[in-house]
Amino acid sequence: MRRAVVLALAIASCVPSGEEADPRGALGLATVPSPIARGESFVTKDGWTVHVEELVVLAAISGNALDPASEDVLFPTARASSRQGPYLFKASRPETFVAPGLPVGAGGVWLPYHWLVLGPSRRTNEPDEMETRNVEPALVARFHLPSESFEPTLSTTWTAALGPSILLIARGEKGGRVVRIDFAFRGAVRPFNEIPLEIRANTVNQAPLAVAAESLFSGPTGYELRCEVDDAGVLKPRSPTLSSTSELVFDDLASADADGDGKLSAAELRRPLIPPRCECCSSVDDESVRNFTSSMAALLEARSGELLLQGREPSGGP
Amino acid sequence: MTRRTAKPAVCSALTSALFVLARAAHAAPEETADAAPDTAPAPPVVVAPVPIEEVTVSGLRRQTSSSTEQRMKRTDIRLVPGAFGDPFRAIEAMPGVMPIVSGLPYYYVRGAPPSAVGYFIDDVRVPYLFHFALGPGVIQPTLIDEVSLHPAAFPARYGRYAGGVVAGQTREPGTELRGEGQIRIFDAGAYVEAPFAGGRGAAGIGGRYSYTAAILSLVSPNTSIDYRDYNARVSYELSDRWRATAFTFGSFDMASQVEDGVENVLFASEFHRLDLRFDRRGADGATSRVGMTLGLDRTRLDGKRFSQDMLVGVRARERTPIGDETDIELGIDATVDRYSGDLPSVYAVQPAQYAAAEALFSPRIDTATGAWASASWHPTKRFDLTATARADAFSSDGETAIGPSPRVSTRVPVSSKLTFLGAMGVGTQAPAFAIPVPAVGYRRLPGGLGYAYQKSAGAEVDLPLRFLFRAVGFHHSYFNLRDFARNRRDFDIVEPQLVQSSPAQAYGLEVHLSRRLSERFGGFVSYTLSRTEVGATQRTQARVSPFDRTHVLHVGGSADLGRGWRAGVRFLTYRGWPDEGTSLTSISPPSRRLPAFTRIDARIEKRWSWRKAGHIALVLEALNATASTEIIGRRCIPDEGCRDEELGPIVIPSLGVEGAL
């Protein structure tokens, strides 16, 4: 480092930078909340009137300037990256996220979920604070606690020291029955999926990012196992797949309210509740059946993979 | 050469006494004693009246002396080998001055980093004194009468620096045509001054132009270096007491490199000053000065952006003798800086870079105001006790701070040859960029003011043969000053916020033995033994400064060989920086040092007299004539061993012709 100082004095004697900078720009994403994300009530297929009171997301933006000489067409190498955040924001409000300082040329941007590393597993280079955008302190504090997706008894494991990335507070009503969910959970580890954008000098090129809150009430509904005859000639459930629905539903969440108090606790949401669908499951005491019995917590995490839709505007509504 | 100027009281008395004696020696016959009554009258002695000329002796009253001051006159400056006649490069040979790297004009002064050292010319602050890339000073040497280094307890008129002050004083306006010029292998410069209005006024102009670009292209075709400077001064005696002076000077530097057909400007900076002042010399020896300075600083940044500072400064001081033993000085000064700068596009840089750019270049107005009262008591010729009360108020974009900087210095004669020197003081300054760069400064005083607590004591001895010996011990503590780095891993000179730390400190002993270089045989030995430590933070303990040099030794001399020949040589050696090791996890204090550096500078001159007071000289001079390289680091790689990181050799040769009218 002293050599850098000395050379700087000897040759340039100028700071911050004595070199002509490469032209650089930024890539960005602008959230477009769906009507449900903005708090409009909707009616599910199974007759529930649902209102999303709060939907808070923790995510970071990642922009890459692609290497034009890269031979990998599907996952080209990056010659520069810019990661900003994490940002804690409300899904109900339009927000813009920018990844600056990228050299001009072809690039890509995406918004992966983020979660804080808490407790003994915390690394020294973990950011101390996230940038919050109009989120109440009480809600911010929820993200400094372990994700409610995991049992507290797992606190000694690495995964239990992670914070949540999504906070959902919603209320459903049907026939006089009210069920309320208040759950902080980790978002899905989504496949790497950059939006290709051109990086232009001294400006931001941004794409829309639909916040489709309705995705938390549709999509994966549990596992489905296919029955196959094993080597011994016994019919066994195999090849699990996630079945999903494109309709908006709330019955599955409501059914998790085991004590009937109208409040879905984290424990209730973590309880394995929804068995896999298979024709041979009822007659077989198979470990795989138990392994693929889903909890609503797991289904919400899976559904969150469609919460943030890059490069798209939200659909018109339910 | 004498002029009708102010007459100090002593000189007036002396003149009067001479006049009386002259009249008594040449009295008319009627004024002689009565003749004896009974003798024949002696023939009358007729003495032709002798015209008596009034003789006026003029000179400046030393008003800026302090016990810590080290001063060099221009006659000695030009003879310092390796200084190229440059007064501000010659201070490198003074004790307490730590070079960062041989040849570069950035220094630590008693542990104070370059950001804490202020540079003044005739009380006008300048952003830097040297052209970059080993270039010469920005002021023509012929214009400088003397340069002083004040490492602590500066005179009252200097403030807003927590480290040292380097102050240059220009020569008094001449009454005859005079000038000097130099033509060297990499630049040419000249300064000419002529009287007008019957000697009441004097006007001078000078400048320097470099042609290093052409020369450098021979060895490095893609690199271009260019510098220029100009000086001009007009003074006019409004009366026997008042003088008006307009003094302007400025400097321009640029370095660029061509890569792939595109010229990249590595560095470009300029500053300009116009100083207008009125000086008064009272019959009682009082002096006053009222002045105004206009300035423009401009620096090019990356991405074709610029930062700019337009400044206006006013100052006024009055120094009045109270009786024969005491002087009182009152003064005030104020500076307004209007900073502006081109911020980078928020999309082109990372947020941290943009925040740093905002801290440095956002448009704003900074002000600094100082007021002082100083009293000097000198009951005898060599006794001086000076106490100063000074405070400065700073403001930047709505943020304000006030910093006191009281100081006291004393010279006490212990015997006819021995003098005790003592000084204590507080220095304060606003946050300053680690490297002095024009138009670059921090907005809103991040981290607050920096302070220095300065203490020193020593002795001065007049030795035979006009040798002077001086030894001073010092201890300075520094708070909140920006340095280049605490260690290899904390290098960020752009970061506006300082890491909170305990004070840094520097302590040591300065020894200086000298005989004026302008004597037929002159020389100096300058030795500094010191240690500089950076303070502890929450994560690191206090440690030796990465730029600490335990020993710095200069031994130099100059000899008049006769027949216009004069030769000089300077030997310089200093201890290497601490070797901090290469382990990324090691923060233990260094147990080893990098190798020491040694160099020899040489100067030889052949002078021919020309006309009454003029001369032409051929000067051959070299800095680092031994072509020594300097070790600035050590890199150790597992299984490969350690390798020294060398810099240089930085050799500056100079062959030039000097002439003076």
Side-chain angles (χ1 to χ4, degrees), chain B residues 35-44:
Chain B
D38 294 327
T39 59

Side-chain angles (χ1 to χ4, degrees), chain A residues 223-228 235-238 275-284 289:
Chain A
Y223 284 97
E224 185 170 344
L225 301 176
R226 197 169 63 188
C227 295
E228 298 173 354
L235 198 62
K236 293 282 188 181
R238 294 286 185 268
R277 285 192 291 277
C278 73
E279 294 179 352
C280 57
C281 290
S282 60
S283 61
V284 177
V289 173

Side-chain angles (χ1 to χ4, degrees), chain A residues 11-159:
Chain A
I11 298 172
S13 294
C14 177
V15 213
S17 170
E19 299 176 346
E20 194 76 9
D22 295 326
R24 292 184 175 239
L27 296 179
L29 291 168
T31 65
V32 184
S34 68
I36 292 175
R38 291 198 301 268
E40 291 185 13
S41 298
F42 61 97
V43 179
T44 63
K45 180 189 177 186
D46 45 19
W48 290 83
T49 300
V50 181
H51 169 60
V52 175
E53 297 176 0
E54 295 286 357
L55 181 60
V56 184
V57 177
L58 180 63
I61 185 169
S62 176
N64 292 305
L66 303 180
D67 182 359
S70 175
E71 297 178 351
D72 191 328
V73 177
L74 288 180
F75 301 102
T77 55
R79 56 190 169 104
S81 297
S82 174
R83 182 181 170 92
Q84 306 296 323
Y87 304 102
L88 188 68
F89 62 97
K90 287 195 174 185
S92 59
R93 297 168 56 92
E95 296 287 348
T96 300
F97 306 103
V98 177
L102 294 168
V104 297
V109 64
W110 72 311
L111 197 78
Y113 291 120
H114 188 84
W115 41 85
L116 299 181
V117 179
L118 307 169
S121 301
R122 182 180 178 82
R123 295 181 294 274
T124 56
N125 60 349
E126 192 73 22
D128 294 329
E129 292 291 338
M130 49 207 163
E131 179 182 331
T132 59
R133 296 189 177 185
N134 304 298
V135 180
E136 291 80 4
L139 301 181
V140 173
R142 298 284 295 276
F143 288 82
H144 287 280
L145 298 173
S147 170
E148 295 168 357
S149 309
F150 307 101
E151 295 290 340
T153 53
L154 296 175
S155 60
T156 57
T157 66
W158 180 82
T159 52

Side-chain angles (χ1 to χ4, degrees), chain A residues 1-3 5-7 9-20 24-26 82 84 98 100-101 202-204, chain B residues 101 132-133 264-267 300 302 304 345 347-351 433 435 488 491 493 546 577-578 580 632 646-647:
Chain A
M1 287 302 174
R2 282 197 300 241
R3 182 181 178 86
V5 171
V6 169
L7 289 177
L9 293 175
I11 298 172
S13 294
C14 177
V15 213
S17 170
E19 299 176 346
E20 194 76 9
R24 292 184 175 239
S82 174
Q84 306 296 323
V98 177
N202 299 322
T203 187
V204 58
Chain B
V101 168
F132 98 111
N264 292 321
V265 176
L266 300 176
F267 174 73
R300 178 181 168 130
D302 62 313
K304 298 181 181 179
S345 166
Y347 302 117
V349 295
Q350 297 293 321
F433 206 57
I435 302 171
R488 288 185 182 182
F491 178 71
I493 60 176
W577 288 332
E580 296 180 304
I632 59 172
E646 290 186 348
L647 181 69

